[in-house]
Amino acid sequence: MKNFALIGAAGYIAPRHMRAIKDLGHHLSVAYDINDSVGIIDSISPESEFFTEFERFYEYAQSLKRVSDKKLDYVAICSPNYLHHAHIATGLRLGCDVICEKPLVPTPALMDELALLEQETGQRVFNILQLRHHDAILKLRDQVLAAPKDKKFDVELTYITSRGKWYMESWKGDARKSFGVATNIGVHFYDMLHFIFGKLQRNVVHYRGEAKAAGYLEYERARVRWFLSIDANDLPVEVKGKKSTYRNIDISGQQLEFSEGFTDLHTTSYQEILAGRGYGLEDARHCIETVDVIRTASIAQGQGSEVHPFVANLR
């Protein structure tokens, strides 16, 4: 049985981490969040210590080192994006391996910093890249690998997940903290594309705003035009008023359907990490490099089949 700490316990994704820890037979020793809306802990791990002040959390975590069977083994991080680097560093310096949500950090330079911290502490950083464990994604990857080596697939990725006015008032709406909408809601898609289609060869941005972004990515095995948005006005006519989310991934005329099968992917991710098969810094580097360019590149006009059809409505 391993002992875990959890940073960011009041976050949306935190319960999936708590359940993964419990379902795999491990112990959530202590949790921390500046917010105290963490009643979910009662149904998962009611005996866990909880702190709303980081200094008290850190001191308690340090004190556990003195008791061999209570010493922390892992720190799980579900805090806002801009705090990931500092919280990962904290976990490593506590003598723990770290499991962190996406995005690990905003830039490749900070990835290099984490690599140095791994060397200094002898500990590891693992990223939750749960789509790599999804059956539909794995089957598609096998199909791509089995296709002729010179074949490039034409992919259209559309993801619209409507968010209310609260979003822009929260840290997620502050690009200094979330690193922008493409990073916040899209980083797992860019990892998925790399996982399936190989190395990225081109990265062009056609639109970038507070609530949406669009562009073109070319991989070894695919040409991808993409559109991401949190604006309900972008929903297709046939969806408006019926659903708040629209997700469509078209691969050379075939739809990738992966709406189901998400329930246990965090638990699977934890299982793989604990078995020594987790995804580390270098596995996550590719999607971090991708979103770094999307945030900083000059906007290109784009033309023809490289431009997502929804972009025309923005110009």
Side-chain angles (χ1 to χ4, degrees):
M1 186 180 73
K2 301 295 184 182
N3 293 316
F4 283 78
L6 177 64
I7 296 176
Y12 162 78
I13 206 69
R16 297 189 194 181
H17 289 255
M18 295 179 196
R19 291 192 180 100
I21 293 165
K22 179 182 179 180
D23 290 349
L24 293 174
H26 301 290
H27 177 53
L28 178 59
S29 300
V30 56
Y32 158 74
D33 202 294
I34 60 171
N35 298 305
D36 58 12
S37 298
V38 292
I40 188 69
I41 294 178
D42 289 342
S43 62
I44 301 173
S45 184
E47 300 303 315
S48 300
E49 297 291 338
F50 175 71
F51 298 97
T52 57
E53 296 166 313
F54 186 79
E55 294 83 358
R56 293 179 63 220
F57 159 78
Y58 186 80
E59 181 60 27
Y60 179 79
Q62 283 281 17
S63 73
L64 295 178
K65 290 182 177 180
R66 305 188 191 108
V67 186
S68 59
D69 63 339
K70 293 187 177 181
K71 179 182 180 296
L72 294 174
D73 300 291
Y74 289 90
V75 174
I77 297 172
C78 307
S79 53
N81 298 351
Y82 73 107
L83 295 173
H84 284 180
H85 182 266
H87 288 159
I88 292 170
T90 295
L92 294 174
R93 289 173 177 141
L94 281 169
C96 301
D97 287 343
V98 173
I99 300 172
C100 187
E101 275 294 336
K102 302 171 296 298
L104 278 179
V105 287
T107 67
L110 285 176
M111 292 289 283
D112 295 338
E113 286 288 326
L114 292 181
L116 288 174
L117 278 171
E118 280 190 333
Q119 293 175 19
E120 291 170 4
T121 60
Q123 306 300 138
R124 291 287 310 279
V125 180
F126 298 99
N127 201 190
I128 296 290
L129 301 174
Q130 73 269 33
L131 288 184
R132 296 190 182 202
H133 300 300
H134 195 291
D135 285 342
I137 303 301
L138 292 170
K139 288 177 183 176
L140 176 59
R141 188 170 186 250
D142 288 342
Q143 291 173 15
V144 171
L145 290 172
K149 299 300 181 186
D150 60 347
K151 177 178 175 59
K152 276 202 176 187
F153 295 81
D154 290 304
V155 179
E156 184 175 292
L157 187 158
T158 310
Y159 181 54
I160 303 164
T161 178
S162 307
R163 295 290 185 264
K165 294 180 180 179
W166 68 268
Y167 188 95
M168 287 302 175
E169 293 296 322
S170 75
W171 66 265
K172 295 180 180 183
D174 185 342
R176 298 168 301 174
K177 296 180 177 181
S178 68
F179 313 125
V181 68
T183 300
N184 198 48
I185 70 168
V187 67
H188 58 293
F189 286 119
Y190 304 126
D191 177 70
M192 177 195 75
L193 291 168
H194 161 58
F195 182 64
I196 297 171
F197 298 113
K199 292 182 180 179
L200 184 61
Q201 297 173 330
R202 287 182 64 206
N203 187 346
V204 182
V205 181
H206 295 143
Y207 184 90
R208 184 174 58 233
E210 280 189 340
K212 63 200 78 174
Y216 174 78
L217 299 163
E218 187 161 345
Y219 294 86
E220 292 174 292
R221 304 297 306 275
R223 294 176 287 264
V224 183
R225 52 185 186 177
W226 59 270
F227 180 88
L228 304 174
S229 173
I230 59 167
D231 185 352
N233 293 315
D234 292 320
L235 290 167
V237 174
E238 65 270 20
V239 174
K240 281 184 179 177
K242 300 175 183 177
K243 295 181 179 179
S244 61
T245 297
Y246 175 78
R247 175 169 52 202
N248 182 63
I249 302 178
D250 182 290
I251 302 159
S252 295
Q254 294 188 351
Q255 302 297 309
L256 173 62
E257 177 51 53
F258 63 110
S259 298
E260 304 298 328
F262 280 93
T263 308
D264 299 319
L265 291 185
H266 274 72
T267 299
T268 302
S269 297
Y270 267 70
Q271 196 167 28
E272 292 296 297
I273 290 167
L274 290 162
R277 298 186 295 266
Y279 292 115
L281 291 181
E282 290 311 307
D283 298 297
R285 182 178 291 274
H286 198 282
C287 62
I288 297 303
E289 292 173 342
T290 303
V291 294
D292 183 50
V293 171
I294 290 171
R295 277 197 314 275
T296 58
S298 299
I299 304 300
Q301 185 67 24
Q303 57 184 344
S305 61
E306 292 187 0
V307 182
H308 193 287
F310 283 27
V311 173
N313 299 326
L314 307 177
R315 291 174 174 171

